[in-house]
Amino acid sequence: MTLVTAADVGAAAERIAPYVLRTPLVRVPGERLWIKPENRQPTRSFKVRGALNAVAELAGRGVEHVIAQSSGNHAQAIAYAAGRFGLRATVVLPDTAPDLKVAAARALGAQVVIVPPALREDACLALADRLGAAVIRSDDAAVIAGHGSIGAELSRDLPARAAEGPGTILVPVCNGGLLSGVAVAAGPGITVIGVEPELAADGQASFRAGRRLAWPVADTYRTIADGLRAPVLGELAWEHIRRHVDDMITVSEEQIAAAAEFLRSKLGEHAEPSGAVTTAAYFAHHEALPEGPVAAILTGGNV
């Protein structure tokens, strides 16, 4: 299995630079916490980074139609990227997806197919075969490399924020594509920690066991963090995570809700529950985190 490298991340960052915002670090007053607000990106989610890189590569190979399955934000990102490069896009969403995300994918020009949550993957593959479309998984190598641009930015920005140490990056975990890319790109000495809801902690269970473990879909769909409900880490993502990630921690539903409200009321940042888990993790676990600055990636604001 070929893994993503720092060179792949660098190439992806250069490729997508014209289309994405280089998000800043926003200090939380009185804390050693810094927020990286990816909710400010086009489509209001970090997902646009990986989607743009993957679609650009496919467009360069002559692909005309792309398809993806998603809980919502990846679908919007694929639709946006396809529009930028003149490709058709079809996205498969669960019938539990927020109306806001479904409407946004359609508004961006994608054909939207709605199915029960457990049928997302099978429906996507069947449609890809019928339509002759290229599947873009949310942990494809090109997607991981695009997401890694966040880690590359943080590896330059984070150590300059304090002298106590190179710092820690907290990363939300769904199927692991973002965590993989950030971990590959993070600079020397930077600690990278994945964060999941307690109700969808298949990734932490896998990390502790040293092998991929799947949770029932009915279990992971209990969390309010609708973007983190994947029942198992992606196969490619897992290979990166087990090599490069330092730890995986979890937060409760109450902690997620409180963090989202904190980000809105104190910083004016609208965070969906999936994007607020890292801020929740800082307040729940800050005493156990390594010394030095902590960066929490706020992954999305589609709420």
Side-chain angles (χ1 to χ4, degrees):
M1 182 178 292
T2 302
L3 301 186
V4 174
T5 66
D8 296 326
V9 172
E14 183 175 351
R15 186 178 295 117
I16 67 177
Y19 309 103
V20 300
L21 175 68
R22 193 193 190 290
T23 49
L25 280 176
V26 178
R27 181 68 181 267
V28 175
E31 302 288 344
R32 57 187 179 113
L33 175 65
W34 300 78
I35 306 298
K36 189 163 179 64
E38 288 293 301
N39 56 316
R40 301 183 186 181
Q41 293 289 359
T43 74
R44 300 180 68 187
S45 165
F46 82 98
K47 291 281 191 179
V48 74
R49 293 181 184 253
L52 281 163
N53 193 48
V55 169
E57 286 192 3
L58 290 170
R61 300 206 299 262
V63 170
E64 297 179 350
H65 190 176
V66 293
I67 187 169
Q69 63 92 2
S70 165
S71 61
N73 283 341
H74 182 56
Q76 293 177 68
I78 293 297
Y80 174 84
R84 300 294 297 196
F85 288 92
L87 277 62
R88 292 174 57 202
T90 300
V91 295
V92 178
L93 294 170
D95 55 19
T96 55
D99 292 341
L100 173 73
K101 296 182 179 182
V102 176
R106 288 195 173 113
L108 288 165
Q111 178 185 356
V112 177
V113 178
I114 305 295
V115 300
L119 300 182
R120 281 164 47 181
E121 180 71 16
D122 290 345
C124 180
L125 295 177
L127 279 168
D129 186 61
R130 181 161 64 85
L131 298 172
V135 177
I136 301 178
R137 293 179 171 83
S138 56
D139 75 327
D140 282 349
V143 173
I144 289 174
H147 292 341
S149 61
I150 298 175
E153 291 172 12
L154 284 170
S155 71
R156 291 190 291 271
D157 295 346
L158 189 59
R161 296 304 189 270
E164 293 85 356
T168 299
I169 304 174
L170 300 176
V171 189
V173 180
C174 182
N175 74 343
L178 173 61
L179 180 60
S180 300
V182 170
V184 166
I190 293 178
T191 300
V192 178
I193 299 175
V195 183
E196 289 182 305
E198 291 175 354
L199 297 182
D202 60 283
Q204 187 195 55
S206 299
F207 192 81
R208 298 284 186 266
R211 59 189 176 88
R212 282 200 309 159
L213 298 175
W215 280 25
V217 170
D219 286 355
T220 62
Y221 268 70
R222 296 173 298 168
T223 179
I224 57 173
D226 63 279
L228 307 182
R229 291 171 174 167
V232 64
L233 294 170
E235 184 176 0
L236 180 58
W238 167 244
E239 293 303 319
H240 293 81
I241 289 167
R242 71 184 187 87
R243 287 171 170 81
H244 301 297
V245 172
D246 296 289
D247 200 3
M248 299 272 278
I249 57 179
T250 64
V251 288
S252 70
E253 300 296 287
E254 294 76 18
Q255 289 165 338
I256 295 170
E261 173 57 22
F262 174 88
L263 289 164
R264 184 198 65 78
S265 62
K266 301 299 184 183
L267 299 182
E269 298 288 351
H270 289 276
E272 57 190 278
S274 302
V277 296
T278 49
T279 299
Y282 170 81
F283 286 112
H285 300 281
H286 68 277
E287 292 182 356
L289 297 175
E291 292 184 356
V294 178
I297 302 175
L298 196 176
T299 47
N302 288 304
V303 57

